Amino acid sequence: MEFQMDSFSISSRFKGSISGGSKGFRTGPSISCKGGGGREPGPDRVQASTTVGSTRTKRGRSPADKENKRIKRLLRNRVLTQKARERKKAYLTYLQVKVKELEKNNGELEERLSTLQNESQMLRHNEDGHSSS
């Protein structure tokens, strides 16, 4: 069973409540917009069964039009995929440079830490020697 409300269709299995409404319907993914609002197809919509012997499809496109659209879509996808690969490659190059910078910085910091630890140890050692005399 299906209910028609304006140009929306709600399946009966999704009965519930619309935020406390009295209609007894629940909103969610079960609601779908129907362009015609349940009306019969107009003259601008060609049915395959009404055009006997025609090479047009339900939406009025010929197979050649569909093929051209498919080829355009494939080419567009190919270009977009190539751009995505280039962006990914640039990002990976950026990350590799960043890793090298961070490794260099880390090495410098470790070296500085080692120097300071040695200096601290020497100062403690010297302090121990002075306090006992």
Side-chain angles (χ1 to χ4, degrees):
M1 181 177 204
E2 202 167 284
F3 300 95
Q4 296 291 330
M5 294 184 346
D6 297 325
S7 63
F8 292 93
S9 165
I10 302 176
S11 173
S12 64
R13 68 177 188 200
F14 293 102
K15 284 184 188 176
S17 64
I18 298 179
S19 60
S22 62
K23 289 275 185 181
F25 303 123
R26 161 174 75 193
T27 61
S30 61
I31 298 176
S32 62
C33 181
K34 290 194 175 190
R39 294 178 289 157
E40 293 297 318
D44 58 330
R45 295 183 184 177
V46 179
Q47 294 282 334
S49 60
T50 60
T51 56
V52 177
S54 175
T55 59
R56 294 199 173 263
T57 61
K58 283 186 179 181
R59 296 186 185 223
R61 289 190 207 108
S62 69
D65 289 342
K66 286 182 80 173
E67 183 64 15
N68 286 339
K69 189 173 182 179
R70 186 184 75 83
I71 290 171
K72 279 184 180 180
R73 187 187 74 241
L74 290 174
L75 290 174
R76 186 174 58 241
N77 286 347
R78 195 171 293 161
V79 169
L80 291 174
T81 302
Q82 184 61 38
K83 286 181 180 179
R85 285 186 190 121
E86 290 169 2
R87 281 193 309 269
K88 183 179 180 180
K89 187 175 182 179
Y91 180 64
L92 288 175
T93 302
Y94 161 78
L95 287 177
Q96 289 170 343
V97 168
K98 190 76 172 170
V99 164
K100 286 181 182 178
E101 289 174 2
L102 291 172
E103 285 175 344
K104 180 183 175 190
N105 191 19
N106 192 31
E108 291 170 356
L109 289 172
E110 285 177 345
E111 191 176 310
R112 184 172 175 205
L113 175 65
S114 176
T115 303
L116 290 172
Q117 284 175 337
N118 289 337
E119 187 178 322
S120 175
Q121 188 178 2
M122 286 183 358
L123 288 172
R124 283 190 197 134
H125 182 65
N126 287 341
E127 190 178 280
D128 289 341
H130 289 290
S131 63
S132 62
S133 7

